[in-house]
Amino acid sequence: MNQRNTLKINDRGHLEIGGCDAVELAERFGTPLYVFDEAYIRLMMRTYKKALNDCFGGNGIVLYASKAFSCKAVYKIAASEGIGVDVVSGGELYTALSSGFPADKIYMHGNNKTPEELEYAVSEGVGTIVVDSYLEADRLDALCAEKGVKQSVLIRINPGVEAHTHAYVQTATPDSKFGFSIANGTADDITNYVLSKGNLSLKGFHCHIGSQIFEKQSFVLAAEKMMAFIAHIKNSVGFEAETLNIGGGFGIYYTDEDPKLNENDYAQYLKALCDAIKQKSVELGVKAPFIALEPGRSIVGEAGVTLYTAGAIKSIPGLKTYIAVDGGMFDNPRYALYQSKYTVVAAGDMNAPCTQKVTIAGKCCESGDIIAVDVPLPEIKSGDIIAVLSTGAYNYSMASNYNRNFIPQAVLVNDGKADTIIKKQTYEDIVRNDVIPERLG
Ligand code: LLP
């Protein structure tokens, strides 16, 4: 049912993921439940690693962009697959390190890293920090002087490529808060500035053009612009970049509006990038850089399914039918934020014909708390298990305790086995950080 064949309909007509019956998972662990397919995650990590090796002869590193889904288990998987990770906050860094992830294979991002985050990253020996402001260059340089270390850094560059994706997830448009623009010359200025900092060792440049992108040409164009920038910096200031980090952004299948890509298709993105980079390096007379790649969504997105129990069902005659589930925008805010679309299925009756179009609503006190609009489903009764597919990326990682609901637990499935990787929250967790000042009695 999905591109890696890890989702199936079993002979009971139930949805099966990683060899586990979804209805049984719901019974055993309760709902809402995030389910992650380990084999899928590993397969995608291997796909990128192999493609990078095939295309660039191993001269590069795959970094799992852990903002897509961060928890100790996923860093363990990344470590065992021999890839690196990118982190974007002290919290992600702490999670990675506390799972035993090697600090030297961590790249740290963020357009406004706090002094505490920088201190933490440097103290722990984070391999590479991607600098995204003058303030950060100053703080990092001073910190490294104090600690007597020389920190490897990249600079975040905005290559000015507009990819076709939702406006909020585009990151390389001219007015982006991220990076320094090649077009307006600020990329030159920050490069000179970082090069003047005695405690920073500039390794090269980074760019990331956005997320959920399918057009190969957008990635190729960004890589070409970055190579031209590398050549320009070499010729103008004599600094030749060793590393080019081309970010992530490869799209995944959510609904039939999206292409269905297989592993080979993802490898083809790398092949196209590689060809463009090699060609430019010859044409412009710069050495082929060490390549870093940061896929997030495409590694975990289709590996994840969220299971809900249908609750109240409300038909508004002549308008619509709402099926309310026991989750909502607190476990998946993506419809509320981006009007993202999902495929929704009846996990316990996969072969039943779809007879209605319904809107899946959450349980939050807010009209915009919707998971999916007008999705085809068979007849659903309260108590049935509803599965929303492709929820592995940016669902748990953007979950909240809105309305003081619990962030659901997550299980990792593989070969018929299911293990908890993120525990169920409790009411005690909900009030854990609440403090009643004495004067309130
Ligand atoms: N590298 C950098 C610097 C990034 O900012 C991102 C994503 C990635 C890599 C990974 O991109 P991916 O391969 O996952 O597309 N919350 C939004 C997505 C925000 C993406 C932010 N940056 C969503 O739910 O669609």
Side-chain angles (χ1 to χ4, degrees), residues 65 67-68 86 109 156 169 171 178 206 208 210-212 247-250 254 294-298 334 338 340 393-394 398:
K67 66 194 69 112
D86 104 38
H109 280 288
R156 179 145 185 176
V169 285
T171 48
F178 296 106
H206 166 272
H208 170 76
S211 200
Q212 186 59 4
F250 311 107
Y254 285 100
E294 299 172 338
R297 189 190 307 269
S298 51
R334 296 191 69 258
Y338 321 118
S340 304
Y394 305 110
M398 292 204 296

Side-chain angles (χ1 to χ4, degrees), residues 43-91:
L43 182 59
M44 287 308 294
M45 288 178 175
R46 284 173 201 173
T47 296
Y48 282 118
K49 197 175 164 190
K50 178 171 185 310
L52 197 73
N53 282 339
D54 291 350
C55 296
F56 296 96
N59 188 31
I61 185 168
V62 177
L63 306 168
Y64 163 58
S66 65
K67 66 194 69 112
F69 175 54
S70 172
C71 68
K72 288 184 184 178
V74 82
Y75 293 109
K76 271 276 181 212
I77 295 175
S80 72
E81 292 297 333
I83 66 170
V85 297
D86 104 38
V87 299
V88 77
S89 69

